[in-house]
Amino acid sequence: MGVVLVDDEPAEGVVLRLHPKTGSAAISSGITSADGSFQISTYSLGDGAPAGQYVITLVWSEFDTLTRTQVGDQLGGKYAFDDKSEIQWNIPNIDVFNAGTIRLHR
């Protein structure tokens, strides 16, 4: 669990993906709610991520109702690629990992 703020405001619809540096081959993910909060899921909703080291990518797309797809990235791609993202987590083997507040800038 955690919160994403963009320019100090809660950001709804930011997709987080956890790319394992070691261990699990699964990619865990989450999406922010209206208040910027998120929960990570791997195998089932809200089950978290396996213990390990991760690079975190974040993309803030808009939903195009005409094509029913996600379009663009309001963050300009700054956090979209695991080889460029500077956001990393080391998740210990505990029941609940609190990622705290992730502060992003456009």
Side-chain angles (χ1 to χ4, degrees):
M1 75 171 113
V3 174
V4 173
L5 301 178
V6 176
D7 299 328
D8 295 322
E9 296 292 327
E12 181 176 15
V14 176
V15 175
L16 297 91
R17 287 200 173 81
L18 285 65
H19 304 267
K21 292 174 72 174
T22 59
S24 173
I27 294 181
S28 306
S29 63
I31 187 166
T32 59
S33 300
D35 64 355
S37 66
F38 64 87
Q39 290 187 349
I40 298 299
S41 303
T42 302
Y43 302 107
S44 62
L45 187 62
D47 67 345
Q53 295 180 337
Y54 295 88
V55 175
I56 314 307
T57 58
L58 301 102
V59 175
W60 192 14
S61 302
E62 292 186 51
F63 185 72
D64 183 326
T65 54
L66 184 62
T67 63
R68 303 193 51 76
T69 60
Q70 295 296 119
V71 179
D73 181 3
Q74 297 179 68
L75 300 170
K78 287 184 187 177
Y79 312 97
F81 303 99
D82 62 334
D83 62 340
K84 294 182 181 176
S85 178
E86 295 180 6
I87 301 171
Q88 299 188 24
W89 294 343
N90 185 10
I91 298 179
N93 192 12
I94 58 176
D95 287 339
V96 177
F97 173 72
N98 186 343
T101 301
I102 300 170
R103 296 180 187 279
L104 305 176
H105 302 282
R106 292 184 209 213

